[in-house]
Amino acid sequence: MAMHYEPLDESKDEIRLLTLLPRSQRTRTEVVRCTLKKISLASFTTQYKASQSSLGFSVSEKRKSRINWIQSLSQSEGTLQGVFHATNREPPEEYQRFTWGDYAALSYVWGDEKKTSRIKVNGYEMEVTQNLEAALRAFRNGSEFHSKFGLWVDAICINQKDLVERGRQVTKMRDIYGKAWNVIAWLGEEREQSSRAIQLVQSLSQFHDTLKGNNDLASRLSKKPGLLGDGCWYALNQLMARPYWERLWIIQEIIMGASAMVLRCGTSSIDWDSFCLGIKILQEELWLVKDELLQRDVARAGAASQHAAWSTTSLHLVYRDLSVLSQRDEAGEVGPPFWRLIDIANSAECKDPRDKVYGLIGLMDGNVGKELEPNYKIPPQEVYTEVSKAFMKTYQTLDPIREGGVWGPTKTPSWVADWMWDGGRLSQARIENRLWGPAWLSGESIPDSSVYRPYKASFGGTIDISFLDTGSLACTGFIADTITGLSARGDGFFTWSKKSIVQAKEWKSIYGNRDETSKALYRSLVADRVGGGQIPSDRHAVILNLPSTFNKAKPHFEKRGWSWLASQNNYYFRWEEWRKANRNFQIGDRPLNDFFSDIIPAEASEHDFTEVYACFDRTCQKRRFIITEKGYMGWAPDNIHGSEQDQTMGGDLIAILFGCSTPIVIRPDGDHFKVIGEAYVQGIMDGEAMDFLKEGKVERRNFTFC
């Protein structure tokens, strides 16, 4: 007989919590038994309410109120530290904030739903995934969650068969994880020396305050690879390759947990802040040696060669997204922008395509969240349409249309971002992201390294949008230009197809003479934004002297002692292959290759060459170089995994849409238009094209996008 779920009372802010029952026998393999009961998240103790009011915090300011509550009760620094460093244990009774006790929330990956184990809940047998059962067993064997300190677990505490309750509980995720005494990230059971991995990250985090940009640790590890232990680098790589990091739901759970998060792997644990610091050291200070350290461990272990590469997706997720966003959430900043949520969703997996959106609602600005009622009865394309509309209406912007297109699998309207499509998503190609490069160029400790200057192509235009019953979007703007030439398209991630080049019949540079056209070219190659979001200056013209192949470049880099550039043998391919494929792409009467030289000037700066190299690496990803009818140059979407037909085409139009920060490539479709994707056009990215309207060179018009 299945367990009966009593309905939750929304007016009382009710959720359900688990209590784990102790073993009745001595064997650790005894079936996990627990009780499930309803509690109210509004039932604060009188003392807790009074404390928060006296401090000027409302009890709804979740994480901040928890920290101040601990501080208000701590009589000495030792007491305070003791509470913080035992965040995965039951808090002392006097610290518990609710009349019924307190609770933790579990963040974990469900795992294969076909592989289950039995537990007992309120006396009824229940099938749960093996990973969840392992977590509950570990907690039970450690005498955790056995009294007034409960555990919230989505698979059990939500009636998964009730779609209405499921939708309502999704909207409460921010509250549930934000109010929790702590959030436990269960990475799985101890295996593949995971305890060494946890210890390594803990050790790296302790170097943070002592390094401050010098490479002392890197040089010490180069001389003595076993300094921090043997096998630990391979163990860390295996830890970062675990399925936990691929699950979409963990993203908002970690961000909302922030400083209350603790990572557990078997019996080993580390707090979230220390984990982020350790990964930061790995990414910023050990970039040049971490591959060697991993390969050494792999060789010593006799492991398969395919494991010799770092799990960069999960490392980047922690370093670039989770660490940054959890700090911002803790500081009370507004939710991530639309583009960042799309990128996060693309980097993770979920069973239900609707959860690409619903799994991130807790991160969105509250006003956006109010527009979205999780509904598992509507199709994914309707969910994606609603979230685009919610962002457009809340922020009065058309920028979500930059993520639109016609190539996604969900068959959304072209103006709507398909959250299931990542074939041409820009992700690491965005100017909004910190430059990829050495710590001294792009690390978090470098002032303004994460600052960017947004484009403002429609500056001064008044947004005017409406959503039609047909599912179309109506807006205003003008046609700025037409694409006439296209460089080689990407054929997957590593090669470019020469045969796909579209040569313009004629092209006359709008920029002026040869020197001015060369200037426009180098600014285009870096998308007119360099480190700190600055507009490039004359020193960035050195990109035209960046050697075309790594074989030509490496001797020069090594001679000058440019160690980071000299280590780019596995990454230089984008510049090398792009140059090779497009050497004969015509820009007017000159092939592209004629604009470049392989000679590095004697007075060349390592910083300048590194910066332009990193900028181009960002710019060229999933973009095709274009020239236009009016003599401009720039970039258009490149569908690198699509067919020859599913691409930007010669004759596609470039539109300026009022309320959108970049130009958009569009295509006529009868009386309507379809969005192809965002464009970069050198010379009209910062409002210059708006002069076309004033001068009568273009006409304002209405667009309907289907």
Side-chain angles (χ1 to χ4, degrees), residues 29 70 139 174 246 282 304 323 348 380 383 398 419 482 517 522:
T29 59
I70 294 172
F139 299 152
R174 187 172 189 85
E246 300 171 2
L282 181 73
S323 175
V383 176
L398 257 183
W419 290 55
T482 302
T517 301
Y522 81 68

Side-chain angles (χ1 to χ4, degrees), residues 223-480:
K223 297 173 183 176
K224 189 178 180 181
L227 178 67
L228 298 178
D230 290 323
C232 57
W233 304 97
Y234 179 67
L236 177 57
N237 192 44
Q238 295 303 96
L239 185 74
M240 299 309 296
R242 291 196 179 203
Y244 178 82
W245 303 108
E246 300 171 2
R247 177 176 174 260
L248 182 129
W249 285 95
I250 67 106
I251 294 170
Q252 71 168 2
E253 293 163 5
I254 287 176
I255 293 171
M256 291 183 293
S259 62
M261 171 72 74
V262 60
L263 282 74
R264 289 274 295 272
C265 191
T267 57
S268 300
S269 64
I270 183 173
D271 67 271
W272 176 243
D273 290 342
S274 295
F275 187 79
C276 289
L277 283 178
I279 297 300
K280 178 182 177 182
I281 293 295
L282 181 73
Q283 293 291 86
E284 292 190 2
E285 305 294 342
L286 305 182
W287 178 265
L288 297 181
V289 298
K290 66 183 179 69
D291 289 346
E292 298 172 13
L293 295 168
L294 175 60
Q295 289 163 8
R296 174 181 179 272
D297 275 359
V298 169
R300 288 170 62 89
S305 59
Q306 63 263 31
H307 296 302
W310 281 99
S311 300
T312 54
T313 300
S314 54
L315 288 173
H316 289 164
L317 177 66
V318 173
Y319 176 64
R320 295 176 176 173
D321 292 314
L322 299 181
S323 175
V324 174
L325 292 175
S326 60
Q327 291 175 29
R328 291 178 180 176
D329 190 78
E330 192 107 316
E333 297 183 21
V334 296
F338 189 81
W339 63 266
R340 178 152 241 171
L341 291 168
I342 284 273
D343 288 350
I344 291 172
N346 284 163
S347 71
E349 297 177 359
C350 57
K351 293 185 306 174
D352 192 320
R354 288 165 289 207
D355 285 338
K356 288 284 187 177
V357 172
Y358 294 158
L360 297 175
I361 280 182
L363 303 185
M364 298 176 189
D365 180 88
N367 292 322
V368 174
K370 291 176 184 177
E371 297 281 336
L372 300 172
E373 182 73 30
N375 183 352
Y376 288 92
K377 297 180 180 180
I378 62 176
Q381 57 265 38
E382 191 171 331
V383 176
Y384 302 159
T385 300
E386 289 304 309
V387 71
S388 285
K389 289 166 62 175
F391 270 86
M392 289 179 182
K393 289 192 292 185
T394 300
Y395 295 108
Q396 282 297 291
T397 177
L398 257 183
D399 265 6
I401 206 172
R402 295 168 55 189
E403 311 302 328
V406 293
W407 303 318
T410 316
K411 306 305 178 186
T412 58
S414 71
W415 61 272
V416 170
D418 186 340
W419 290 55
M420 290 297 291
W421 182 68
D422 65 354
R425 200 73 75 204
L426 298 179
S427 188
Q428 304 307 324
R430 301 185 189 278
I431 63 155
E432 293 92 340
N433 282 328
R434 182 184 292 111
L435 275 178
W436 170 69
W440 50 261
L441 172 69
S442 60
E444 288 183 0
S445 58
I446 305 301
D448 297 330
S449 67
S450 61
V451 173
Y452 71 94
R453 181 178 304 185
Y455 298 123
K456 46 185 180 180
S458 65
F459 183 73
T462 302
I463 186 171
D464 180 16
I465 58 174
S466 58
F467 305 104
L468 309 182
D469 292 338
T470 59
S472 299
L473 167 72
C475 60
T476 55
F478 58 88
I479 303 294

Side-chain angles (χ1 to χ4, degrees), residues 546-560 562 565-566 572 575 598 600:
L546 188 64
S548 57
T549 70
F550 190 68
N551 284 339
K552 293 178 180 179
K554 186 177 181 180
H556 295 287
F557 295 158
E558 290 181 333
K559 181 179 179 181
R560 289 170 168 79
W562 297 355
L565 283 171
Y572 207 82
W575 175 252
D598 287 333
I600 299 179

Side-chain angles (χ1 to χ4, degrees), residues 42 119 128 130 190 202 210 246 307 309 322 390 396 512 536 607 681:
I119 64 171
V128 298
Q130 291 179 355
E190 165 73 34
Q202 188 76 63
T210 60
E246 300 171 2
H307 296 302
L322 299 181
Q396 282 297 291
H607 184 280
V681 182

Side-chain angles (χ1 to χ4, degrees), residues 654-703:
I654 297 172
I656 301 295
L657 305 177
F658 299 153
C660 185
S661 62
T662 69
I664 299 293
V665 179
I666 66 175
R667 185 176 296 164
D669 184 32
D671 294 333
H672 298 165
F673 292 88
K674 288 187 175 180
V675 172
I676 304 302
E678 74 170 40
Y680 171 88
V681 182
Q682 177 59 37
I684 65 170
M685 297 304 293
D686 291 308
E688 300 92 337
M690 297 299 289
D691 290 337
F692 298 170
L693 274 178
K694 299 174 184 177
E695 297 164 1
K697 295 179 180 179
V698 296
E699 293 183 359
R700 177 190 176 110
R701 58 166 298 163
N702 297 321
F703 294 93

Side-chain angles (χ1 to χ4, degrees), residues 11 96 171 200 222 268 301 351 368 512 566 686:
S11 67
Q96 295 178 2
T171 63
L200 172 62
S222 293
S268 300
K351 293 185 306 174
V368 174
D686 291 308

